[in-house]
Amino acid sequence: QVVLEESGGGSVEAGRSLRLSCKFSGDINRANCMGWFRQAPGKERERVAATYLGGVDNQYADSVKGRFTISQDNTKSTLYLQITSLKPEDTAMYYCAAHSYCSDGRWAYWGQGTQVTVSS
């Protein structure tokens, strides 16, 4: 079992930055890949960033390239998502997830999510 706990969401104005954190614990050997997803009301869940533990091969959705940065601090067992130049369309629930590989389909482990709301 892998346990994931997100934090760092909030309500911010457009143009500002935010850093989301995901504390991970448990059987982390099951989670070679970790990622960030988001889901806005009425929209499908979207994978915005993913990385293999060790920081190899960071992957980003085209919609967020240049503004989102995924990183990790294994000494703190924490995954981060730095978001700059926030836009109202970034408003969504953001989830941390983990899987044995950076899957395009199902991921095995999920956090509860942290809400990001961007006002114009």
Side-chain angles (χ1 to χ4, degrees):
Q1 182 74 4
V2 177
V3 180
L4 305 170
E5 184 174 1
E6 304 95 335
S7 62
S11 296
V12 297
E13 294 179 345
R16 304 296 290 269
S17 298
L18 207 59
R19 188 177 76 164
L20 307 182
S21 300
C22 173
K23 181 84 171 173
F24 53 85
S25 60
D27 191 1
I28 205 62
N29 289 329
R30 295 177 178 268
N32 293 318
C33 182
M34 298 192 71
W36 287 96
F37 292 72
R38 68 182 180 184
Q39 187 166 23
K43 294 189 177 181
E44 290 189 356
R45 187 169 58 197
E46 173 189 25
R47 191 179 89 181
V48 294
T51 186
Y52 283 95
L53 290 183
V56 177
D57 189 25
N58 293 347
Q59 304 170 12
Y60 298 96
D62 288 341
S63 58
V64 305
K65 279 181 181 176
R67 296 192 302 117
F68 286 32
T69 303
I70 189 170
S71 63
Q72 58 191 268
D73 184 342
N74 290 329
T75 65
K76 296 181 180 179
S77 297
T78 303
L79 182 76
Y80 300 102
L81 185 69
Q82 180 73 41
I83 309 174
T84 60
S85 302
L86 276 155
K87 304 176 181 180
E89 51 264 43
D90 293 322
T91 295
M93 184 71 80
Y94 284 73
Y95 297 93
C96 176
H99 197 58
S100 56
Y101 63 98
C102 292
S103 170
D104 288 331
R106 178 184 174 275
W107 284 53
Y109 305 102
W110 293 86
Q112 294 299 308
T114 185
Q115 177 69 38
V116 173
T117 303
V118 185
S119 58
S120 58

